[in-house]
């Protein structure tokens, strides 16, 4: 408490960071038994999948995917190159036919997604829960490991994830890559904040580069993870930087800046509002999403003007270069959308523009970094961020060069006599390869059925959740999201955006019919959202345990202190 010149009492936060984490930030450190439990979770899931495994080639795309995988060809768009390359290794197993071996591959990746879910849950649920006692060995925590185990196994045997795990399909690998990406993201986030007190910020250099590579890798099986990556750059990135610099503002500014937290509700509501509004007006929905992202970036933007002089001066010196970066990024996005993503087809004359849009920002960042080092200019934290973004963007692109495998393979098969090994598309040229990667063969958006059609689609999304976890668990998960907002505001916000953006994209661009037959094919595209919902479910289980143990009284007291 402080007193103004007029004699009024002013309530003041100790720090902005405490408004984000009222109980402090003490990340959970893995112990040996965490790895043992993770392996056991993997083993339980894998055993369940093997016991119910399809004995050979199954229905749907299984026959085509198994054939192209065995022949090292390209499957239907987008080609699934990583699925084919890794899956080929499983065809050398010494038992079962080729179809059975590919099904084992699918079961392995599905169980791997459950393993990463458990590890992610332990990290998130274990925040501030790990207490070190002198002369005592670390031990498992009831409030951390029980919810993590329960939520992981609930997802492991959720109906559609289980169904995809026992046959030769691509969606198990997709959710495995998403789970690995989010686990690495948690790892990255934890290191950033754990060293936030250092004067010279490292920005989790190696973890940042690893995250960039895994993000690119996640898109080499299916494009569904794209929307989680978009959500990362729209909200997770700026909110993380806000948390990182929250304790680097001038001491007199903590109270005046605390009002920016009112914006958080707008950031939270934006994706849900856009989901509803898009049926009436697509562009207005896009504006709402952009306003939500602008709200997230405004946190860090407002913070910049109140930073300690050494940090504020470093940014002011590089402001011009940052604005050039933002301009180049906007140009790249507009060119890529116009020439590639939103175009009906990609033609040879578009290839140069697409490559230009892909490499413009990485080249600028790497040239900037090289010039700063060559000229011997005194480096500051902005230079470090620019370097990480430059190297990270190149690693992202490098991971996606796995798609060139389809180009190499198409050229190898071209001169073979008919009948050639099955391989979709003549991907010997870049324009055909880009068309294959961006699924141009599927055409544009289907005809809309109006607002009733839209609400029917949303109703099916709700049914999907209930069919996976049951109504009781869905309600527990909803409560878990609210509990997560109290304990992990930034992560709850990001995961809500990620889930909503994927749902928006599937309704907007696929616009499936509202009938059981069509929806039975669409549900598999939501499996990565089920994985995320299992995180909310874990927090719901933890909230119930805390409720019965009396821990809730501590939460309310701390929350009141943070807001007072």
């Amino acid at each position: 408490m402080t007193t103004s010149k007029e004699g009024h009492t002013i309530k003041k936060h100790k720090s902005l960071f405490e408004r984000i984490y009222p109980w402090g930030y003490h990340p959970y450190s893995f112990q040996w038994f965490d790895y043992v439990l993770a392996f056991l979770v993997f083993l339980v899931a894998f055993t369940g999948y093997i016991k119910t495994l399809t004995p050979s080639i199954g229905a749907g795309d299984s026959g085509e995917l198994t054939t192209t995988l065995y022949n090292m060809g390209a499957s239907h768009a987008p080609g699934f190159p990583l699925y084919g390359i890794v899956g080929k290794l499983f065809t050398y197993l010494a038992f079962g036919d080729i179809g059975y071996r590919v099904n084992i591959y699918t079961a392995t990746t599905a169980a791997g997604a459950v393993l990463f879910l458990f590890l992610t849950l332990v990290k998130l649920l274990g925040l501030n829960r790990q207490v070190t006692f002198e002369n005592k060995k670390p031990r498992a925590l009831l409030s951390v490991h029980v919810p993590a185990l329960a939520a992981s196994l609930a997802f492991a045997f959720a109906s559609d994830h289980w169904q995809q795990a026992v046959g030769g399909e691509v969606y198990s690998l997709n959710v495995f890559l998403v789970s690995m990406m989010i686990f690495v993201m948690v790892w990255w986030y934890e290191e950033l904040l754990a060293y936030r007190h250092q004067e010279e910020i490292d920005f989790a250099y190696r973890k940042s580069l690893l995250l960039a590579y895994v993000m690119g890798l996640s898109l080499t099986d299916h494009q569904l993870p794209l929307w989680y990556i978009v959500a990362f750059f729209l909200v997770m990135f700026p909110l993380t930087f806000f948390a990182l610099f929250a304790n680097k503002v001038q001491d007199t500014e903590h109270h005046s800046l605390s009002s920016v937290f009112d914006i958080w509700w707008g950031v939270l509501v934006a994706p849900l509002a856009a989901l509803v509004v898009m049926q009436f007006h697509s562009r207005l929905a896009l504006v709402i999403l952009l306003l939500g992202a602008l709200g997230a970036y405004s946190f860090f933007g407002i913070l910049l003007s109140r930073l300690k002089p050494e940090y504020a001066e470093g940014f002011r010196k590089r402001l011009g270069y940052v604005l050039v970066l933002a301009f180049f990024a906007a140009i790249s996005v507009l060119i890529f959308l116009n020439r590639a993503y939103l175009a009906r087809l990609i033609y040879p004359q578009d290839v140069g523009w697409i490559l230009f849009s892909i490499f413009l920002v990485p080249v600028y960042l790497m040239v900037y970094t090289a010039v700063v080092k060559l000229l011997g200019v005194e480096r500051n934290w902005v230079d470090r961020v620019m370097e990480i973004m430059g190297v990270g963007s190149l690693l992202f692109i490098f991971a996606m060069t796995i798609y060139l495998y389809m180009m190499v393979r198409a050229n190898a098969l071209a001169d073979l006599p008919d009948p050639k090994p099955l391989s979709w598309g003549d991907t010997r040229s870049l324009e055909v390869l880009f068309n294959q990667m961006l699924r141009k063969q599927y055409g544009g958006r289907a005809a809309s059925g109006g607002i009733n059609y839209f609400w029917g689609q949303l109703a099916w999304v709700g049914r999907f959740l209930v069919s996976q976890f049951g109504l009781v668990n869905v309600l527990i998960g909803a409560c878990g999201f609210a509990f997560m907002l109290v304990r992990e505001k930034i992560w709850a916000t990001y995961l809500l955006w990620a889930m909503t953006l994927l749902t928006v994209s599937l309704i907007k661009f696929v616009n499936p019919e509202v009938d059981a037959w069509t929806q039975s094919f669409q549900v598999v595209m939501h499996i990565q959202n089920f994985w995320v919902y299992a995180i909310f479910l874990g927090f719901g289980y933890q909230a119930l345990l805390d409720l019965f143990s009396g821990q809730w009284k501590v939460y309310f007291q701390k929350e009141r202190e943070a807001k007072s």
Side-chain angles (χ1 to χ4, degrees):
M1 305 285 272
T2 59
T3 305
S4 68
K5 293 180 179 178
E6 293 78 12
H8 299 297
T9 300
I10 300 174
K11 294 177 180 179
K12 180 179 176 183
H13 297 296
K14 292 180 180 179
S15 75
L16 283 174
F17 191 82
E18 288 184 355
R19 185 70 189 272
I20 306 171
Y21 290 104
W23 307 279
Y25 189 81
H26 305 286
Y28 184 90
S29 178
F30 282 138
Q31 304 297 324
W32 64 268
F33 49 78
D34 293 307
Y35 300 110
V36 171
L37 288 173
F39 176 72
L40 290 176
V41 167
F42 172 89
L43 200 60
V44 169
F46 184 71
T47 302
Y49 301 152
I50 292 297
K51 289 290 185 180
T52 55
L53 201 67
T54 306
S56 187
I57 292 173
D61 295 329
S62 175
E64 175 228 325
L65 291 168
T66 301
T67 303
T68 53
L69 179 155
Y70 182 70
N71 290 327
M72 299 185 71
S75 301
H76 63 274
F80 314 110
L82 186 64
Y83 177 83
I85 293 171
V86 178
K88 179 65 177 178
L89 300 176
F90 280 79
T91 64
Y92 293 107
L93 292 174
F95 49 85
D97 63 17
I98 299 300
Y100 186 78
R101 298 171 193 175
V102 172
N103 295 343
I104 292 176
Y105 164 47
T106 306
T108 304
T109 56
V114 179
L115 180 146
F116 276 120
L117 174 59
F118 174 79
L119 293 175
T120 301
L121 278 166
V122 169
K123 276 289 187 184
L124 293 176
L125 296 173
L127 179 68
N128 298 329
R129 301 265 177 163
Q130 197 172 34
V131 180
T132 303
F133 299 96
E134 292 185 7
N135 301 321
K136 287 189 177 182
K137 295 181 179 179
R139 52 187 171 81
L141 301 172
L142 178 69
S143 63
V144 174
H145 294 90
V146 170
L149 285 168
S152 298
L153 293 176
F155 172 75
F157 298 106
S159 59
D160 283 284
H161 180 64
W162 192 354
Q163 183 186 62
Q164 293 298 306
V166 299
E169 266 288 0
V170 298
Y171 295 100
S172 293
L173 177 61
N174 176 69
V175 73
F176 171 79
L177 293 171
V178 168
S179 67
M180 181 168 60
M181 178 178 69
I182 293 181
F183 174 73
V184 172
M185 203 180 293
V186 171
W187 214 12
W188 163 83
Y189 179 87
E190 178 184 284
E191 184 170 317
L192 271 177
L193 296 195
Y195 296 98
R196 66 189 182 278
H197 296 295
Q198 292 181 345
E199 291 298 320
E200 186 174 345
I201 309 172
D202 182 67
F203 294 103
Y205 187 85
R206 289 180 294 179
K207 301 283 193 337
S208 298
L209 299 186
L210 176 62
L211 177 59
Y213 180 80
V214 173
M215 281 182 171
L217 195 67
S218 71
L219 297 174
T220 57
D221 177 59
H222 206 291
Q223 267 99 53
L224 293 172
L226 171 66
W227 302 104
Y228 283 24
I229 297 171
V230 171
F232 174 86
F233 286 105
L234 289 181
V235 293
M236 187 69 180
F237 183 77
L239 292 179
T240 300
F241 266 65
F242 174 73
L244 179 62
F245 282 88
N247 67 335
K248 299 189 183 301
V249 299
Q250 301 177 52
D251 292 336
T252 57
E253 300 292 349
H254 288 289
H255 174 69
S256 60
L257 279 170
S258 64
S259 60
V260 302
F261 282 88
D262 296 335
I263 303 172
W264 207 298
W265 294 107
V267 177
L268 269 176
V269 171
L272 300 175
L275 179 63
V276 176
V277 170
M278 77 171 187
Q279 182 63 18
F280 303 103
H281 202 295
S282 297
R283 292 184 179 179
L284 179 58
L286 180 60
V287 170
I288 292 173
L289 283 174
L290 292 177
L291 287 174
L294 184 63
Y297 274 89
S298 71
F299 277 87
F300 186 63
I302 295 171
L303 197 67
L304 283 173
S305 62
R306 315 294 179 89
L307 286 176
K308 293 178 181 178
E310 59 269 30
Y311 299 105
E313 185 63 24
F315 184 79
R316 279 194 290 271
K317 287 181 178 179
R318 302 293 189 265
L319 179 59
Y321 302 104
V322 173
L323 292 176
V324 171
L325 171 63
F327 175 74
F328 282 169
I331 292 296
S332 296
V333 169
L334 290 174
I335 292 175
F336 189 82
L337 288 175
N338 183 54
R339 294 280 180 164
Y341 197 77
L342 298 179
R344 176 62 188 85
L345 283 174
I346 296 170
Y347 298 96
Q349 60 267 29
D350 297 317
V351 171
W353 285 104
I354 294 171
L355 292 176
F356 175 77
S357 69
I358 291 172
F359 286 100
L360 176 60
V361 169
V363 169
Y364 168 73
L365 289 168
M366 294 310 297
V367 169
Y368 172 87
T369 300
V371 170
V372 167
K373 289 183 177 180
L374 288 173
L375 295 181
V377 178
E378 183 180 355
R379 302 185 71 198
N380 60 35
W381 66 270
V382 179
D383 300 326
R384 185 67 165 175
V385 173
M386 299 273 267
E387 179 184 350
I388 291 172
M389 291 174 67
V391 179
S393 59
L394 289 178
L395 284 172
F396 181 93
I397 295 169
F398 175 72
M400 291 202 66
T401 57
I402 290 175
Y403 276 102
L404 293 176
Y405 157 82
M406 298 196 302
M407 194 178 196
V408 172
R409 191 60 180 158
N411 280 284
L413 296 176
D415 296 328
L416 295 179
D418 290 325
K420 294 182 176 68
L422 177 62
S423 185
W424 283 62
D426 187 13
T427 53
R428 286 180 291 172
S429 60
L430 278 175
E431 71 271 14
V432 178
L433 179 64
F434 284 142
N435 279 306
Q436 180 89 341
M437 290 171 60
L438 295 174
R439 304 163 64 89
K440 297 300 181 181
Q441 72 180 59
Y442 296 114
R445 182 175 181 245
S448 174
I451 188 66
N452 293 329
Y453 198 74
F454 170 76
W455 289 115
Q457 292 168 334
L458 279 186
W460 270 105
V461 173
R463 291 181 192 177
F464 291 159
L465 274 177
V466 173
S467 67
Q468 308 307 307
F469 300 110
L471 180 60
V472 172
N473 274 332
V474 169
L475 294 175
I476 292 174
C479 295
F481 172 75
F483 183 52
M484 193 178 185
L485 268 178
V486 175
R487 295 197 58 224
E488 277 282 11
K489 292 179 177 66
I490 292 177
W491 274 101
T493 304
Y494 164 67
L495 294 176
L496 177 66
W497 268 75
M499 287 184 68
T500 309
L501 284 184
L502 178 61
T503 303
V504 166
S505 69
L506 291 175
I507 292 177
K508 174 68 178 176
F509 297 111
V510 180
N511 195 30
E513 298 287 338
V514 183
D515 61 75
W517 186 85
T518 302
Q519 295 299 327
S520 67
F521 291 97
Q522 296 301 314
V523 65
V524 294
M525 298 186 183
H526 294 265
I527 292 176
Q528 66 189 60
N529 273 357
F530 304 154
W531 187 94
V532 170
Y533 203 84
I535 293 178
F536 300 155
L537 185 59
F539 272 90
Y541 291 152
Q542 187 179 64
L544 289 174
L545 287 175
D546 287 348
L547 183 63
F548 290 121
S549 66
Q551 185 68 22
W552 273 92
K553 296 178 182 178
V554 179
Y555 294 141
F556 286 131
Q557 181 181 353
K558 289 286 187 180
E559 190 70 13
R560 283 195 298 268
E561 290 176 359
K563 292 180 178 179
S564 65

